[in-house]
Amino acid sequence: TNSLPTVNVSALTINTLTTSGATLINSTLTVTGNSVFQSVSANTIFTPVVGFLGTGGNITTSGAYTVHTFISGGMFVPGSVLGVNYLVVAGGGGGGEGDSFENGGGGGGAGGLLFSSTTISPGSYAVVVGTGGTTSANGTNSSAFSLTSIGGGAGVYESNGASGGSGGGGSGWYTTPIKTGGAGTANQGNAGGNGVGGGNRTTGGGGGSGSVGAGGGVSTNGTGGTGTVISSNGMSGTYAGGGGEIG
């Protein structure tokens, strides 16, 4: 007998062999493409295994990619050794409250963003999805594959912005010195903008994954930092933008 080479099942065509099935004559086939390790003997019909890439989350397809989206915690269970592209975003920070004297807390910072690729082995992987912070509270962390995105920093009334994945904006307060924006986490986000003290008392915007939050102006509050535009590997959208204060 002869052995066929290792092949990628997503693009497999050998004579009559396709991803929908084929008759194999005097050969042994081992399929490892993206996931499956399955051997079939000569003169048998091979039927691809549905869902063999993995289980967990909301499963969709985008071109050649299978996408697992988690909006709450769960488990991801790959069927074999996989190369995966991951996007992990933490919960954003809450904005600070204001008062009737035109003092206000800064905008909330975006949750930390991690976007890259890795190789994982068969097993069960816990996925934790962070939640957004309430008023003046940081967001909570998200994690997967031993990677953790840090929750966004809050904008805090009468205070500097809190640090986080991206930092919260500084408060607009009637006294000086200014209230500074919180620091972001390296490779996950950016700092919040500074607030303005004294008569103007405008607030800083929360930092975003794409840029720092804007500082307060003479008469306008700072806008939140930009998010990160992703359009590859089956994912598309703008993620982890910072918040700004209204009013």
Side-chain angles (χ1 to χ4, degrees), residues 35-121:
S35 61
V36 116
F37 293 100
Q38 179 174 354
S39 295
V40 291
S41 302
N43 303 316
T44 61
I45 299 295
F46 168 66
T47 302
V49 179
V50 176
F52 61 76
L53 290 177
T55 60
N58 180 42
I59 303 174
T60 57
T61 58
S62 178
Y65 293 94
T66 299
V67 181
H68 295 253
T69 303
F70 290 83
I71 59 175
S72 60
M75 301 294 294
F76 177 66
V77 182
S80 66
V81 175
L82 287 179
V84 297
N85 304 295
Y86 60 81
L87 171 64
V88 184
V89 181
E97 62 185 349
D99 61 26
S100 59
F101 300 102
E102 299 183 353
N103 300 299
L113 180 148
L114 293 171
F115 176 56
S116 189
S117 60
T118 190
T119 300
I120 59 175
S121 300

Side-chain angles (χ1 to χ4, degrees), residues 97-147:
E97 62 185 349
D99 61 26
S100 59
F101 300 102
E102 299 183 353
N103 300 299
L113 180 148
L114 293 171
F115 176 56
S116 189
S117 60
T118 190
T119 300
I120 59 175
S121 300
S124 297
Y125 296 84
V127 176
V128 176
V129 178
T131 57
T134 56
T135 302
S136 297
N138 282 17
T140 61
N141 299 345
S142 294
S143 62
F145 311 133
S146 299
L147 302 165

